[in-house]
Amino acid sequence: MIVALIDSGLGLLPTSAWLRRLRPDLDLVLSLDPDGAPWGPKPEPWVVDRVLGAVRRSLDRGAQVIVLPCNTASVTALPHVRELVGPEVPVIGTVPAIKPAAAACDSVAIWATAATTASRYQADLIEQFGNGAKVVGVPCHGLADSIDLGDRAAALAAIDSAVARTPDDVSGVVLGCTHYPLLADEIAARLPAGVTLFDSAEAVARQTLRRIDGLGAAGEGSGTVEVFVSGRPGALPPSAEAFDAGRLLGAIKA
């Protein structure tokens, strides 16, 4: 069973690590796009075209399941991906973990990119899943970009800025960009004691496995990992090593 994960950059690593942890036999195709990153500020047709290109290459490599562990890709391109691959290929998108956070906490902050924070998409999710909790959006300017560039100092400065703009009464923080869990320990250390972090990586991985099980014809794989960088066969960029990705990389390497 070959599962393809598509993101602009390193945000696919947390979901990949969960898949590797839960089903080490899966063969993974990781598709990153540093040449086109960040996707968030790009025009919608451009993002759709970029994602569909990655999907086509993944299908050529034998992918039987497509995962978009990226909020921008999910919001912008998910219907187009499903139309391209047809009903026989499961496609799993990513939604920020607002629902579990609002169910557990009275006051929640959603850390996300500036574009996502200002989007109708996030506002609709809050309205649908807010569960009466006080929910505030906190734009994390430059955090995802710093992670993809391997600029740890800039990433930590972006975290400090986001912490300063997070209300004191918040008891839960949703990591609303799939890059942010790569620095979950640093984020938790800078927030007040007792604040719980929520992210979607494990939930997306488990939903992927449910869809795989639903296919009913999935044999065991060899647990290989292929990496494509802006369409070219390659390796994870050196920037991955800057964010304690060793723990995650160790979990997903064959």
Side-chain angles (χ1 to χ4, degrees):
M1 175 58 62
I2 301 175
V3 178
L5 297 99
I6 297 168
D7 192 0
S8 62
L10 300 180
L12 52 67
L13 287 177
T15 301
S16 301
W18 271 107
L19 284 173
R20 194 69 164 162
R21 187 174 298 120
L22 296 169
R23 281 283 301 275
D25 62 295
L26 292 178
D27 297 318
L28 303 181
V29 175
L30 310 184
S31 180
L32 302 82
D33 185 27
D35 291 354
W39 284 351
K42 301 292 197 305
E44 183 173 320
W46 187 97
V47 175
V48 170
D49 183 67
R50 206 76 172 182
V51 173
L52 292 182
V55 171
R56 292 188 183 98
R57 287 189 292 272
S58 299
L59 295 174
D60 289 343
R61 300 301 299 175
Q64 297 150 283
V65 179
I66 303 294
V67 184
L68 302 180
C70 170
N71 293 288
T72 296
S74 298
V75 172
T76 307
L78 190 60
H80 302 277
V81 174
R82 287 178 170 151
E83 181 179 3
L84 173 67
V85 304
E88 301 304 317
V89 177
V91 180
I92 297 90
T94 298
V95 175
I98 296 172
K99 185 176 181 179
C105 305
D106 293 331
S107 182
V108 175
I110 305 172
W111 285 20
T113 64
T116 298
T117 301
S119 68
R120 182 70 250 173
Y121 161 73
Q122 179 164 297
D124 289 343
L125 289 175
I126 293 171
E127 182 177 350
Q128 184 175 0
F129 298 117
N131 195 39
K134 176 185 174 184
V135 182
V136 61
V138 176
C140 299
H141 303 285
L143 180 51
D145 296 350
S146 299
I147 291 173
D148 276 337
L149 292 171
D151 190 339
R152 187 178 183 85
L156 295 178
I159 291 171
D160 288 338
S161 174
V163 169
R165 290 177 286 110
T166 298
D168 293 338
D169 64 343
V170 159
S171 55
V173 169
V174 175
L175 302 181
C177 172
T178 54
H179 288 63
Y180 299 171
L182 288 167
L183 284 173
D185 290 345
E186 288 83 351
I187 292 170
R190 286 162 169 76
L191 288 166
V195 174
T196 303
L197 299 184
F198 297 85
D199 75 81
S200 56
E202 181 181 0
V204 172
R206 291 189 182 278
Q207 175 64 7
T208 300
L209 296 181
R210 284 191 288 270
R211 297 295 301 276
I212 289 173
D213 292 341
L215 293 177
E220 287 193 4
S222 55
T224 61
V225 177
E226 284 189 286
V227 178
F228 288 83
V229 180
S230 296
R232 305 179 297 273
L236 289 169
S239 57
E241 301 292 351
F243 298 97
D244 188 25
R247 171 173 53 86
L248 291 169
L249 296 177
I252 67 171
K253 282 184 177 177

